[in-house]
Amino acid sequence: MITTIALDLDNTLLNSAKEISAENERVLKQLHKMGKRIVLCTGRPIQGIQRLLTQLELFEPTDYAITFNGGLIRHNQTQRILAQTTIGKQEVAALYQDAEQRHYPIDVIGADKVYSIVTLGKSDYESSMGAVLPFADISFDELPADRAFGKAVCAAPAEVVQRVRKEMPTELTDLLHIVPSRAELLEFLPNNVNKAHGLSQLMAHFGETLDNVMTFGDEENDFEMIAQAGVGVAMGNAIPQIKQVANAETLTNNEDGVAAYLKQYFDLR
């Protein structure tokens, strides 16, 4: 039985205006009142989803959110951390060395701020993130050695991201989980962290498994949770790799694809 609905945000639950539509909101609230868990599962930091949690009223005792692509699971009501996997300055140092050699920008995301390593050149990340977190422009040497970080990113034009990923050395692919969340954003995550990993930890907390989860996604960073869920649903606008491993396909994010599939599956009006 499906007890939990896990949703990617950008280009999945959110439309092109970066909003949850009235219909998606209505259907998700209906299912939440019926006892289904609604879990936002995103690469964003927790600060970047607070308004969405508020809009969907996800503050019941069993409500959690998964951020940093599976690296952080936090209780919405109390902010208590259920599970967390991070990287440190040592991992960032290996990435920085490669970025210096191959000329691409990186930003490092901590709990309370984003560190832009401007000695590599200022990236597009701050302009795309808005005011969700404060940004600090620093050199690599100034990056705190005693802090844990959720992830690092390379925010750049799609052709740059594609080149950086294609030529990534084995030492880094062995050290980090490297995956794009969109064409212009490459994410560097703790090794073995992905959205399915985070969901497995959350479901174990409830004495359940991924068989009890329905997932919605569109991009490569959704791959594991779409492939491993009891029901994995690809958006109509999803990349081919996601559609290939999904159990089902729905309409696009601009056509209320989440609501359309949920109404059909749960026989809602």
Side-chain angles (χ1 to χ4, degrees), residues 186-208:
L186 189 63
E187 309 223 3
F188 303 91
L189 306 168
N191 204 6
N192 299 318
V193 163
N194 57 62
K195 293 182 180 182
H197 173 77
L199 279 167
S200 293
Q201 291 177 300
L202 178 60
M203 297 311 289
H205 173 70
F206 293 113
E208 299 177 16

Side-chain angles (χ1 to χ4, degrees), residues 55 87 103 115 171 230:
Q55 180 180 352
I87 58 175
H103 309 293
Y115 300 92
E171 309 88 80

Side-chain angles (χ1 to χ4, degrees), residues 87-93 96 106-110 113-117 136-149 151-152:
I87 58 175
K89 189 169 183 177
Q90 182 176 352
E91 288 86 355
V92 178
Y96 177 76
I106 58 173
D107 295 85
V108 185
I109 298 87
K113 68 174 65 174
V114 178
Y115 300 92
S116 289
I117 313 299
D137 292 348
I138 63 169
S139 68
F140 174 75
D141 289 341
E142 293 172 308
L143 186 69
D146 59 347
R147 299 281 178 88
F149 309 107
K151 64 179 180 178

Side-chain angles (χ1 to χ4, degrees), residues 104-225:
Y104 60 89
I106 58 173
D107 295 85
V108 185
I109 298 87
D112 58 353
K113 68 174 65 174
V114 178
Y115 300 92
S116 289
I117 313 299
V118 291
T119 43
L120 297 169
K122 184 71 174 176
S123 79
D124 302 329
Y125 196 56
E126 185 170 5
S127 60
S128 67
M129 282 286 288
V132 170
L133 281 174
F135 277 69
D137 292 348
I138 63 169
S139 68
F140 174 75
D141 289 341
E142 293 172 308
L143 186 69
D146 59 347
R147 299 281 178 88
F149 309 107
K151 64 179 180 178
V153 299
C154 169
E159 59 271 18
V160 174
V161 168
Q162 187 176 24
R163 171 185 62 80
V164 169
R165 188 188 187 199
K166 183 178 180 181
E167 300 171 358
M168 193 63 62
T170 305
E171 309 88 80
L172 280 179
T173 57
D174 288 343
L175 181 67
L176 299 164
H177 179 208
I178 302 170
V179 62
S181 56
R182 60 177 186 267
E184 302 83 12
L185 190 66
L186 189 63
E187 309 223 3
F188 303 91
L189 306 168
N191 204 6
N192 299 318
V193 163
N194 57 62
K195 293 182 180 182
H197 173 77
L199 279 167
S200 293
Q201 291 177 300
L202 178 60
M203 297 311 289
H205 173 70
F206 293 113
E208 299 177 16
T209 72
L210 288 177
D211 289 339
N212 301 110
V213 184
M214 176 184 291
T215 57
F216 290 81
D218 72 298
E219 256 294 350
E220 193 170 340
N221 64 324
D222 302 316
F223 184 92
E224 291 86 357
M225 78 167 183

